[in-house]
Amino acid sequence: MAALLMDLERFSVGPPEWDLVSTAVRRKTTGAATAEEYDEFCEAYGADVTEWTGYRTLAGIRELRMATYAARHAASNPEWTGQAQHRIDCLRGRCGSRPWTWTGIT
């Protein structure tokens, strides 16, 4: 049987930390994951990416992507304007320290 590769716009090769940071950001940035859930994840994976020296850099990139995602949606759906602004305010240091409460954009 031949392999079929789909969704090439989402296909990439890179450090595994990039994928792990997504889960860490759910805990450390948005508060969407509980401490218990994150601890279980780290135990299952065998490491905590937040202890890696490059964590803050990749987390910052992920956070910026999440803020621009909300802004992009707010441009066509005013319902998300407040959430987009909140995310930008958080990144600019106007909302205290992490974790911030970010509502999911659907």
Side-chain angles (χ1 to χ4, degrees):
M1 174 181 257
L4 179 63
L5 195 56
M6 299 175 64
D7 295 329
L8 290 176
E9 73 276 4
R10 303 262 185 221
F11 182 84
S12 65
V13 176
E17 289 84 5
W18 178 246
D19 292 326
L20 298 174
V21 163
S22 291
T23 303
V25 163
R26 285 181 43 79
R27 170 66 191 137
K28 304 291 184 176
T29 300
T30 70
T34 67
E36 181 180 90
E37 290 169 332
Y38 186 69
D39 290 345
E40 287 176 13
F41 173 81
C42 292
E43 186 175 325
Y45 187 76
D48 181 353
V49 71
T50 65
E51 296 172 0
W52 173 60
T53 58
Y55 170 72
R56 279 298 340 134
T57 299
L58 292 188
I61 293 167
R62 186 66 78 177
E63 292 166 351
L64 180 60
R65 289 183 66 197
M66 293 171 75
T68 58
Y69 178 80
R72 186 174 71 232
H73 279 279
S76 61
N77 186 346
E79 174 185 350
W80 296 112
T81 302
Q83 182 58 211
Q85 186 62 58
H86 175 64
R87 292 179 184 197
I88 291 166
D89 289 342
C90 288
L91 295 180
R92 288 186 169 174
R94 298 177 183 153
C95 297
S97 59
R98 293 168 182 82
W100 304 305
T101 303
W102 289 6
T103 302
I105 307 272
T106 56

PDB file of all heavy atoms in Angstrom, residues 30-67:
ATOM      1  N   THR A  30      -2.642  30.203  29.589  1.00  0.00           N
ATOM      2  CA  THR A  30      -4.086  30.411  29.503  1.00  0.00           C
ATOM      3  C   THR A  30      -4.860  29.823  30.668  1.00  0.00           C
ATOM      4  O   THR A  30      -6.025  30.157  30.848  1.00  0.00           O
ATOM      5  CB  THR A  30      -4.658  29.816  28.212  1.00  0.00           C
ATOM      6  OG1 THR A  30      -4.603  28.387  28.274  1.00  0.00           O
ATOM      7  CG2 THR A  30      -3.913  30.315  26.990  1.00  0.00           C
ATOM      8  N   GLY A  31      -4.253  28.932  31.428  1.00  0.00           N
ATOM      9  CA  GLY A  31      -4.952  28.295  32.533  1.00  0.00           C
ATOM     10  C   GLY A  31      -5.994  27.285  32.078  1.00  0.00           C
ATOM     11  O   GLY A  31      -6.837  26.867  32.869  1.00  0.00           O
ATOM     12  N   ALA A  32      -5.947  26.876  30.810  1.00  0.00           N
ATOM     13  CA  ALA A  32      -6.936  25.946  30.267  1.00  0.00           C
ATOM     14  C   ALA A  32      -6.723  24.517  30.751  1.00  0.00           C
ATOM     15  O   ALA A  32      -7.643  23.705  30.692  1.00  0.00           O
ATOM     16  CB  ALA A  32      -6.920  25.983  28.742  1.00  0.00           C
ATOM     17  N   ALA A  33      -5.538  24.205  31.223  1.00  0.00           N
ATOM     18  CA  ALA A  33      -5.245  22.876  31.783  1.00  0.00           C
ATOM     19  C   ALA A  33      -4.952  23.054  33.274  1.00  0.00           C
ATOM     20  O   ALA A  33      -4.317  24.031  33.674  1.00  0.00           O
ATOM     21  CB  ALA A  33      -4.055  22.242  31.077  1.00  0.00           C
ATOM     22  N   THR A  34      -5.401  22.118  34.062  1.00  0.00           N
ATOM     23  CA  THR A  34      -5.140  22.178  35.499  1.00  0.00           C
ATOM     24  C   THR A  34      -3.704  21.750  35.784  1.00  0.00           C
ATOM     25  O   THR A  34      -3.054  21.113  34.941  1.00  0.00           O
ATOM     26  CB  THR A  34      -6.096  21.265  36.276  1.00  0.00           C
ATOM     27  OG1 THR A  34      -5.799  19.897  35.938  1.00  0.00           O
ATOM     28  CG2 THR A  34      -7.553  21.585  35.989  1.00  0.00           C
ATOM     29  N   ALA A  35      -3.243  22.058  36.979  1.00  0.00           N
ATOM     30  CA  ALA A  35      -1.905  21.625  37.391  1.00  0.00           C
ATOM     31  C   ALA A  35      -1.822  20.105  37.366  1.00  0.00           C
ATOM     32  O   ALA A  35      -0.812  19.539  36.928  1.00  0.00           O
ATOM     33  CB  ALA A  35      -1.586  22.162  38.786  1.00  0.00           C
ATOM     34  N   GLU A  36      -2.876  19.443  37.817  1.00  0.00           N
ATOM     35  CA  GLU A  36      -2.893  17.985  37.825  1.00  0.00           C
ATOM     36  C   GLU A  36      -2.808  17.418  36.406  1.00  0.00           C
ATOM     37  O   GLU A  36      -2.044  16.483  36.150  1.00  0.00           O
ATOM     38  CB  GLU A  36      -4.163  17.478  38.513  1.00  0.00           C
ATOM     39  CG  GLU A  36      -4.248  15.965  38.589  1.00  0.00           C
ATOM     40  CD  GLU A  36      -5.522  15.510  39.291  1.00  0.00           C
ATOM     41  OE1 GLU A  36      -6.538  15.325  38.587  1.00  0.00           O
ATOM     42  OE2 GLU A  36      -5.472  15.353  40.524  1.00  0.00           O
ATOM     43  N   GLU A  37      -3.568  17.986  35.485  1.00  0.00           N
ATOM     44  CA  GLU A  37      -3.529  17.523  34.093  1.00  0.00           C
ATOM     45  C   GLU A  37      -2.135  17.705  33.504  1.00  0.00           C
ATOM     46  O   GLU A  37      -1.612  16.814  32.826  1.00  0.00           O
ATOM     47  CB  GLU A  37      -4.554  18.278  33.243  1.00  0.00           C
ATOM     48  CG  GLU A  37      -5.980  17.931  33.549  1.00  0.00           C
ATOM     49  CD  GLU A  37      -6.974  18.870  32.908  1.00  0.00           C
ATOM     50  OE1 GLU A  37      -6.646  20.064  32.668  1.00  0.00           O
ATOM     51  OE2 GLU A  37      -8.102  18.415  32.652  1.00  0.00           O
ATOM     52  N   TYR A  38      -1.526  18.868  33.775  1.00  0.00           N
ATOM     53  CA  TYR A  38      -0.200  19.112  33.226  1.00  0.00           C
ATOM     54  C   TYR A  38       0.842  18.192  33.849  1.00  0.00           C
ATOM     55  O   TYR A  38       1.710  17.665  33.156  1.00  0.00           O
ATOM     56  CB  TYR A  38       0.202  20.585  33.396  1.00  0.00           C
ATOM     57  CG  TYR A  38       1.501  20.870  32.696  1.00  0.00           C
ATOM     58  CD1 TYR A  38       1.565  20.846  31.307  1.00  0.00           C
ATOM     59  CD2 TYR A  38       2.669  21.107  33.404  1.00  0.00           C
ATOM     60  CE1 TYR A  38       2.762  21.067  30.639  1.00  0.00           C
ATOM     61  CE2 TYR A  38       3.865  21.330  32.759  1.00  0.00           C
ATOM     62  CZ  TYR A  38       3.903  21.304  31.373  1.00  0.00           C
ATOM     63  OH  TYR A  38       5.097  21.502  30.720  1.00  0.00           O
ATOM     64  N   ASP A  39       0.743  17.971  35.155  1.00  0.00           N
ATOM     65  CA  ASP A  39       1.674  17.054  35.821  1.00  0.00           C
ATOM     66  C   ASP A  39       1.557  15.639  35.250  1.00  0.00           C
ATOM     67  O   ASP A  39       2.572  14.969  35.038  1.00  0.00           O
ATOM     68  CB  ASP A  39       1.438  17.038  37.330  1.00  0.00           C
ATOM     69  CG  ASP A  39       1.858  18.339  38.003  1.00  0.00           C
ATOM     70  OD1 ASP A  39       2.575  19.143  37.370  1.00  0.00           O
ATOM     71  OD2 ASP A  39       1.448  18.546  39.162  1.00  0.00           O
ATOM     72  N   GLU A  40       0.342  15.198  35.005  1.00  0.00           N
ATOM     73  CA  GLU A  40       0.128  13.872  34.398  1.00  0.00           C
ATOM     74  C   GLU A  40       0.740  13.807  33.003  1.00  0.00           C
ATOM     75  O   GLU A  40       1.346  12.807  32.626  1.00  0.00           O
ATOM     76  CB  GLU A  40      -1.366  13.550  34.328  1.00  0.00           C
ATOM     77  CG  GLU A  40      -1.986  13.230  35.663  1.00  0.00           C
ATOM     78  CD  GLU A  40      -3.491  13.010  35.568  1.00  0.00           C
ATOM     79  OE1 GLU A  40      -4.029  12.859  34.440  1.00  0.00           O
ATOM     80  OE2 GLU A  40      -4.144  13.005  36.636  1.00  0.00           O
ATOM     81  N   PHE A  41       0.570  14.891  32.223  1.00  0.00           N
ATOM     82  CA  PHE A  41       1.161  14.954  30.889  1.00  0.00           C
ATOM     83  C   PHE A  41       2.682  14.833  30.962  1.00  0.00           C
ATOM     84  O   PHE A  41       3.289  14.044  30.242  1.00  0.00           O
ATOM     85  CB  PHE A  41       0.763  16.260  30.197  1.00  0.00           C
ATOM     86  CG  PHE A  41       1.449  16.481  28.886  1.00  0.00           C
ATOM     87  CD1 PHE A  41       0.994  15.857  27.738  1.00  0.00           C
ATOM     88  CD2 PHE A  41       2.560  17.303  28.804  1.00  0.00           C
ATOM     89  CE1 PHE A  41       1.640  16.047  26.519  1.00  0.00           C
ATOM     90  CE2 PHE A  41       3.210  17.505  27.604  1.00  0.00           C
ATOM     91  CZ  PHE A  41       2.754  16.874  26.456  1.00  0.00           C
ATOM     92  N   CYS A  42       3.294  15.608  31.855  1.00  0.00           N
ATOM     93  CA  CYS A  42       4.758  15.587  32.000  1.00  0.00           C
ATOM     94  C   CYS A  42       5.247  14.214  32.445  1.00  0.00           C
ATOM     95  O   CYS A  42       6.277  13.731  31.957  1.00  0.00           O
ATOM     96  CB  CYS A  42       5.214  16.655  32.984  1.00  0.00           C
ATOM     97  SG  CYS A  42       4.982  18.331  32.392  1.00  0.00           S
ATOM     98  N   GLU A  43       4.513  13.603  33.347  1.00  0.00           N
ATOM     99  CA  GLU A  43       4.897  12.274  33.824  1.00  0.00           C
ATOM    100  C   GLU A  43       4.826  11.259  32.686  1.00  0.00           C
ATOM    101  O   GLU A  43       5.739  10.449  32.509  1.00  0.00           O
ATOM    102  CB  GLU A  43       3.999  11.836  34.974  1.00  0.00           C
ATOM    103  CG  GLU A  43       4.451  10.528  35.606  1.00  0.00           C
ATOM    104  CD  GLU A  43       3.632  10.168  36.827  1.00  0.00           C
ATOM    105  OE1 GLU A  43       3.229  11.075  37.572  1.00  0.00           O
ATOM    106  OE2 GLU A  43       3.419   8.962  37.024  1.00  0.00           O
ATOM    107  N   ALA A  44       3.773  11.325  31.891  1.00  0.00           N
ATOM    108  CA  ALA A  44       3.624  10.394  30.770  1.00  0.00           C
ATOM    109  C   ALA A  44       4.702  10.621  29.715  1.00  0.00           C
ATOM    110  O   ALA A  44       5.241   9.668  29.157  1.00  0.00           O
ATOM    111  CB  ALA A  44       2.241  10.536  30.144  1.00  0.00           C
ATOM    112  N   TYR A  45       5.031  11.889  29.456  1.00  0.00           N
ATOM    113  CA  TYR A  45       6.052  12.198  28.453  1.00  0.00           C
ATOM    114  C   TYR A  45       7.453  11.946  28.984  1.00  0.00           C
ATOM    115  O   TYR A  45       8.363  11.612  28.238  1.00  0.00           O
ATOM    116  CB  TYR A  45       5.913  13.649  27.971  1.00  0.00           C
ATOM    117  CG  TYR A  45       6.829  13.929  26.818  1.00  0.00           C
ATOM    118  CD1 TYR A  45       6.523  13.471  25.542  1.00  0.00           C
ATOM    119  CD2 TYR A  45       8.021  14.609  27.003  1.00  0.00           C
ATOM    120  CE1 TYR A  45       7.389  13.690  24.484  1.00  0.00           C
ATOM    121  CE2 TYR A  45       8.890  14.840  25.953  1.00  0.00           C
ATOM    122  CZ  TYR A  45       8.572  14.379  24.688  1.00  0.00           C
ATOM    123  OH  TYR A  45       9.434  14.592  23.640  1.00  0.00           O
ATOM    124  N   GLY A  46       7.637  12.141  30.284  1.00  0.00           N
ATOM    125  CA  GLY A  46       8.947  11.916  30.884  1.00  0.00           C
ATOM    126  C   GLY A  46       9.778  13.171  31.061  1.00  0.00           C
ATOM    127  O   GLY A  46      10.955  13.093  31.417  1.00  0.00           O
ATOM    128  N   ALA A  47       9.193  14.326  30.799  1.00  0.00           N
ATOM    129  CA  ALA A  47       9.918  15.594  30.950  1.00  0.00           C
ATOM    130  C   ALA A  47       8.923  16.744  31.005  1.00  0.00           C
ATOM    131  O   ALA A  47       7.786  16.617  30.567  1.00  0.00           O
ATOM    132  CB  ALA A  47      10.876  15.800  29.781  1.00  0.00           C
ATOM    133  N   ASP A  48       9.392  17.862  31.556  1.00  0.00           N
ATOM    134  CA  ASP A  48       8.603  19.090  31.596  1.00  0.00           C
ATOM    135  C   ASP A  48       9.308  20.115  30.724  1.00  0.00           C
ATOM    136  O   ASP A  48      10.401  20.573  31.054  1.00  0.00           O
ATOM    137  CB  ASP A  48       8.477  19.588  33.036  1.00  0.00           C
ATOM    138  CG  ASP A  48       7.651  20.849  33.166  1.00  0.00           C
ATOM    139  OD1 ASP A  48       7.268  21.454  32.138  1.00  0.00           O
ATOM    140  OD2 ASP A  48       7.378  21.244  34.313  1.00  0.00           O
ATOM    141  N   VAL A  49       8.706  20.475  29.609  1.00  0.00           N
ATOM    142  CA  VAL A  49       9.334  21.379  28.650  1.00  0.00           C
ATOM    143  C   VAL A  49       9.592  22.762  29.250  1.00  0.00           C
ATOM    144  O   VAL A  49      10.480  23.475  28.786  1.00  0.00           O
ATOM    145  CB  VAL A  49       8.499  21.490  27.351  1.00  0.00           C
ATOM    146  CG1 VAL A  49       7.213  22.274  27.575  1.00  0.00           C
ATOM    147  CG2 VAL A  49       9.316  22.079  26.216  1.00  0.00           C
ATOM    148  N   THR A  50       8.870  23.127  30.317  1.00  0.00           N
ATOM    149  CA  THR A  50       9.100  24.445  30.918  1.00  0.00           C
ATOM    150  C   THR A  50      10.463  24.534  31.599  1.00  0.00           C
ATOM    151  O   THR A  50      10.929  25.632  31.891  1.00  0.00           O
ATOM    152  CB  THR A  50       7.986  24.814  31.932  1.00  0.00           C
ATOM    153  OG1 THR A  50       8.027  23.910  33.032  1.00  0.00           O
ATOM    154  CG2 THR A  50       6.616  24.797  31.281  1.00  0.00           C
ATOM    155  N   GLU A  51      11.096  23.399  31.822  1.00  0.00           N
ATOM    156  CA  GLU A  51      12.443  23.381  32.404  1.00  0.00           C
ATOM    157  C   GLU A  51      13.529  23.501  31.343  1.00  0.00           C
ATOM    158  O   GLU A  51      14.706  23.651  31.662  1.00  0.00           O
ATOM    159  CB  GLU A  51      12.624  22.100  33.221  1.00  0.00           C
ATOM    160  CG  GLU A  51      11.678  22.044  34.409  1.00  0.00           C
ATOM    161  CD  GLU A  51      11.699  20.716  35.128  1.00  0.00           C
ATOM    162  OE1 GLU A  51      12.458  19.803  34.718  1.00  0.00           O
ATOM    163  OE2 GLU A  51      10.944  20.569  36.113  1.00  0.00           O
ATOM    164  N   TRP A  52      13.155  23.441  30.087  1.00  0.00           N
ATOM    165  CA  TRP A  52      14.081  23.560  28.959  1.00  0.00           C
ATOM    166  C   TRP A  52      14.452  25.028  28.757  1.00  0.00           C
ATOM    167  O   TRP A  52      13.614  25.916  28.903  1.00  0.00           O
ATOM    168  CB  TRP A  52      13.407  22.978  27.709  1.00  0.00           C
ATOM    169  CG  TRP A  52      14.138  23.147  26.430  1.00  0.00           C
ATOM    170  CD1 TRP A  52      15.382  22.692  26.118  1.00  0.00           C
ATOM    171  CD2 TRP A  52      13.652  23.799  25.256  1.00  0.00           C
ATOM    172  NE1 TRP A  52      15.712  23.017  24.824  1.00  0.00           N
ATOM    173  CE2 TRP A  52      14.654  23.708  24.274  1.00  0.00           C
ATOM    174  CE3 TRP A  52      12.467  24.455  24.952  1.00  0.00           C
ATOM    175  CZ2 TRP A  52      14.514  24.234  23.003  1.00  0.00           C
ATOM    176  CZ3 TRP A  52      12.321  24.980  23.680  1.00  0.00           C
ATOM    177  CH2 TRP A  52      13.337  24.872  22.726  1.00  0.00           C
ATOM    178  N   THR A  53      15.695  25.314  28.440  1.00  0.00           N
ATOM    179  CA  THR A  53      16.165  26.704  28.324  1.00  0.00           C
ATOM    180  C   THR A  53      15.464  27.490  27.218  1.00  0.00           C
ATOM    181  O   THR A  53      15.384  28.711  27.295  1.00  0.00           O
ATOM    182  CB  THR A  53      17.689  26.756  28.086  1.00  0.00           C
ATOM    183  OG1 THR A  53      17.998  26.014  26.903  1.00  0.00           O
ATOM    184  CG2 THR A  53      18.450  26.191  29.269  1.00  0.00           C
ATOM    185  N   GLY A  54      14.960  26.825  26.207  1.00  0.00           N
ATOM    186  CA  GLY A  54      14.291  27.523  25.107  1.00  0.00           C
ATOM    187  C   GLY A  54      12.801  27.701  25.298  1.00  0.00           C
ATOM    188  O   GLY A  54      12.116  28.241  24.419  1.00  0.00           O
ATOM    189  N   TYR A  55      12.283  27.291  26.450  1.00  0.00           N
ATOM    190  CA  TYR A  55      10.835  27.332  26.666  1.00  0.00           C
ATOM    191  C   TYR A  55      10.247  28.728  26.476  1.00  0.00           C
ATOM    192  O   TYR A  55       9.271  28.910  25.762  1.00  0.00           O
ATOM    193  CB  TYR A  55      10.457  26.796  28.057  1.00  0.00           C
ATOM    194  CG  TYR A  55       9.005  27.059  28.380  1.00  0.00           C
ATOM    195  CD1 TYR A  55       7.998  26.343  27.741  1.00  0.00           C
ATOM    196  CD2 TYR A  55       8.637  28.057  29.280  1.00  0.00           C
ATOM    197  CE1 TYR A  55       6.657  26.597  28.006  1.00  0.00           C
ATOM    198  CE2 TYR A  55       7.297  28.320  29.547  1.00  0.00           C
ATOM    199  CZ  TYR A  55       6.322  27.592  28.908  1.00  0.00           C
ATOM    200  OH  TYR A  55       5.000  27.861  29.158  1.00  0.00           O
ATOM    201  N   ARG A  56      10.799  29.737  27.143  1.00  0.00           N
ATOM    202  CA  ARG A  56      10.213  31.081  27.069  1.00  0.00           C
ATOM    203  C   ARG A  56      10.144  31.594  25.640  1.00  0.00           C
ATOM    204  O   ARG A  56       9.192  32.273  25.259  1.00  0.00           O
ATOM    205  CB  ARG A  56      10.990  32.068  27.938  1.00  0.00           C
ATOM    206  CG  ARG A  56      10.650  32.032  29.376  1.00  0.00           C
ATOM    207  CD  ARG A  56       9.221  32.378  29.835  1.00  0.00           C
ATOM    208  NE  ARG A  56       8.365  33.128  28.966  1.00  0.00           N
ATOM    209  CZ  ARG A  56       7.078  32.831  28.709  1.00  0.00           C
ATOM    210  NH1 ARG A  56       6.497  31.792  29.238  1.00  0.00           N
ATOM    211  NH2 ARG A  56       6.369  33.581  27.908  1.00  0.00           N
ATOM    212  N   THR A  57      11.148  31.287  24.833  1.00  0.00           N
ATOM    213  CA  THR A  57      11.142  31.743  23.438  1.00  0.00           C
ATOM    214  C   THR A  57       9.997  31.105  22.668  1.00  0.00           C
ATOM    215  O   THR A  57       9.203  31.803  22.028  1.00  0.00           O
ATOM    216  CB  THR A  57      12.481  31.415  22.756  1.00  0.00           C
ATOM    217  OG1 THR A  57      13.530  32.094  23.453  1.00  0.00           O
ATOM    218  CG2 THR A  57      12.475  31.834  21.294  1.00  0.00           C
ATOM    219  N   LEU A  58       9.892  29.779  22.730  1.00  0.00           N
ATOM    220  CA  LEU A  58       8.816  29.105  21.995  1.00  0.00           C
ATOM    221  C   LEU A  58       7.445  29.422  22.574  1.00  0.00           C
ATOM    222  O   LEU A  58       6.469  29.568  21.827  1.00  0.00           O
ATOM    223  CB  LEU A  58       9.053  27.595  21.963  1.00  0.00           C
ATOM    224  CG  LEU A  58      10.248  27.106  21.148  1.00  0.00           C
ATOM    225  CD1 LEU A  58      10.237  25.585  21.051  1.00  0.00           C
ATOM    226  CD2 LEU A  58      10.272  27.720  19.758  1.00  0.00           C
ATOM    227  N   ALA A  59       7.343  29.563  23.889  1.00  0.00           N
ATOM    228  CA  ALA A  59       6.060  29.921  24.499  1.00  0.00           C
ATOM    229  C   ALA A  59       5.633  31.315  24.037  1.00  0.00           C
ATOM    230  O   ALA A  59       4.456  31.536  23.739  1.00  0.00           O
ATOM    231  CB  ALA A  59       6.147  29.857  26.022  1.00  0.00           C
ATOM    232  N   GLY A  60       6.572  32.239  23.961  1.00  0.00           N
ATOM    233  CA  GLY A  60       6.254  33.589  23.482  1.00  0.00           C
ATOM    234  C   GLY A  60       5.744  33.579  22.047  1.00  0.00           C
ATOM    235  O   GLY A  60       4.803  34.309  21.710  1.00  0.00           O
ATOM    236  N   ILE A  61       6.344  32.759  21.217  1.00  0.00           N
ATOM    237  CA  ILE A  61       5.882  32.630  19.829  1.00  0.00           C
ATOM    238  C   ILE A  61       4.471  32.060  19.802  1.00  0.00           C
ATOM    239  O   ILE A  61       3.595  32.555  19.088  1.00  0.00           O
ATOM    240  CB  ILE A  61       6.851  31.754  19.013  1.00  0.00           C
ATOM    241  CG1 ILE A  61       8.200  32.453  18.857  1.00  0.00           C
ATOM    242  CG2 ILE A  61       6.250  31.405  17.649  1.00  0.00           C
ATOM    243  CD1 ILE A  61       9.306  31.552  18.343  1.00  0.00           C
ATOM    244  N   ARG A  62       4.232  31.034  20.590  1.00  0.00           N
ATOM    245  CA  ARG A  62       2.909  30.392  20.642  1.00  0.00           C
ATOM    246  C   ARG A  62       1.857  31.390  21.149  1.00  0.00           C
ATOM    247  O   ARG A  62       0.765  31.481  20.611  1.00  0.00           O
ATOM    248  CB  ARG A  62       2.979  29.157  21.531  1.00  0.00           C
ATOM    249  CG  ARG A  62       1.761  28.318  21.570  1.00  0.00           C
ATOM    250  CD  ARG A  62       1.434  27.661  20.272  1.00  0.00           C
ATOM    251  NE  ARG A  62       2.258  26.497  20.032  1.00  0.00           N
ATOM    252  CZ  ARG A  62       2.107  25.719  18.970  1.00  0.00           C
ATOM    253  NH1 ARG A  62       1.175  25.973  18.080  1.00  0.00           N
ATOM    254  NH2 ARG A  62       2.884  24.689  18.787  1.00  0.00           N
ATOM    255  N   GLU A  63       2.201  32.154  22.181  1.00  0.00           N
ATOM    256  CA  GLU A  63       1.273  33.146  22.719  1.00  0.00           C
ATOM    257  C   GLU A  63       0.942  34.213  21.676  1.00  0.00           C
ATOM    258  O   GLU A  63      -0.223  34.610  21.523  1.00  0.00           O
ATOM    259  CB  GLU A  63       1.864  33.798  23.965  1.00  0.00           C
ATOM    260  CG  GLU A  63       1.973  32.869  25.147  1.00  0.00           C
ATOM    261  CD  GLU A  63       2.842  33.409  26.258  1.00  0.00           C
ATOM    262  OE1 GLU A  63       3.521  34.451  26.088  1.00  0.00           O
ATOM    263  OE2 GLU A  63       2.856  32.776  27.329  1.00  0.00           O
ATOM    264  N   LEU A  64       1.945  34.673  20.958  1.00  0.00           N
ATOM    265  CA  LEU A  64       1.711  35.671  19.914  1.00  0.00           C
ATOM    266  C   LEU A  64       0.811  35.104  18.826  1.00  0.00           C
ATOM    267  O   LEU A  64      -0.105  35.786  18.348  1.00  0.00           O
ATOM    268  CB  LEU A  64       3.040  36.156  19.327  1.00  0.00           C
ATOM    269  CG  LEU A  64       2.928  37.199  18.217  1.00  0.00           C
ATOM    270  CD1 LEU A  64       2.219  38.464  18.719  1.00  0.00           C
ATOM    271  CD2 LEU A  64       4.316  37.528  17.671  1.00  0.00           C
ATOM    272  N   ARG A  65       1.040  33.868  18.449  1.00  0.00           N
ATOM    273  CA  ARG A  65       0.179  33.227  17.447  1.00  0.00           C
ATOM    274  C   ARG A  65      -1.262  33.146  17.937  1.00  0.00           C
ATOM    275  O   ARG A  65      -2.204  33.359  17.166  1.00  0.00           O
ATOM    276  CB  ARG A  65       0.691  31.822  17.112  1.00  0.00           C
ATOM    277  CG  ARG A  65       1.988  31.830  16.305  1.00  0.00           C
ATOM    278  CD  ARG A  65       2.418  30.442  15.936  1.00  0.00           C
ATOM    279  NE  ARG A  65       1.452  29.867  15.010  1.00  0.00           N
ATOM    280  CZ  ARG A  65       1.345  28.566  14.745  1.00  0.00           C
ATOM    281  NH1 ARG A  65       2.148  27.714  15.340  1.00  0.00           N
ATOM    282  NH2 ARG A  65       0.452  28.122  13.899  1.00  0.00           N
ATOM    283  N   MET A  66      -1.453  32.848  19.209  1.00  0.00           N
ATOM    284  CA  MET A  66      -2.808  32.760  19.767  1.00  0.00           C
ATOM    285  C   MET A  66      -3.478  34.136  19.783  1.00  0.00           C
ATOM    286  O   MET A  66      -4.685  34.248  19.550  1.00  0.00           O
ATOM    287  CB  MET A  66      -2.749  32.164  21.173  1.00  0.00           C
ATOM    288  CG  MET A  66      -2.313  30.709  21.187  1.00  0.00           C
ATOM    289  SD  MET A  66      -1.992  30.098  22.856  1.00  0.00           S
ATOM    290  CE  MET A  66      -3.661  29.916  23.468  1.00  0.00           C
ATOM    291  N   ALA A  67      -2.718  35.171  20.047  1.00  0.00           N
ATOM    292  CA  ALA A  67      -3.276  36.529  20.046  1.00  0.00           C
ATOM    293  C   ALA A  67      -3.634  36.968  18.629  1.00  0.00           C
ATOM    294  O   ALA A  67      -4.700  37.545  18.405  1.00  0.00           O
ATOM    295  CB  ALA A  67      -2.284  37.502  20.683  1.00  0.00           C
TER     296      ALA A  67
END
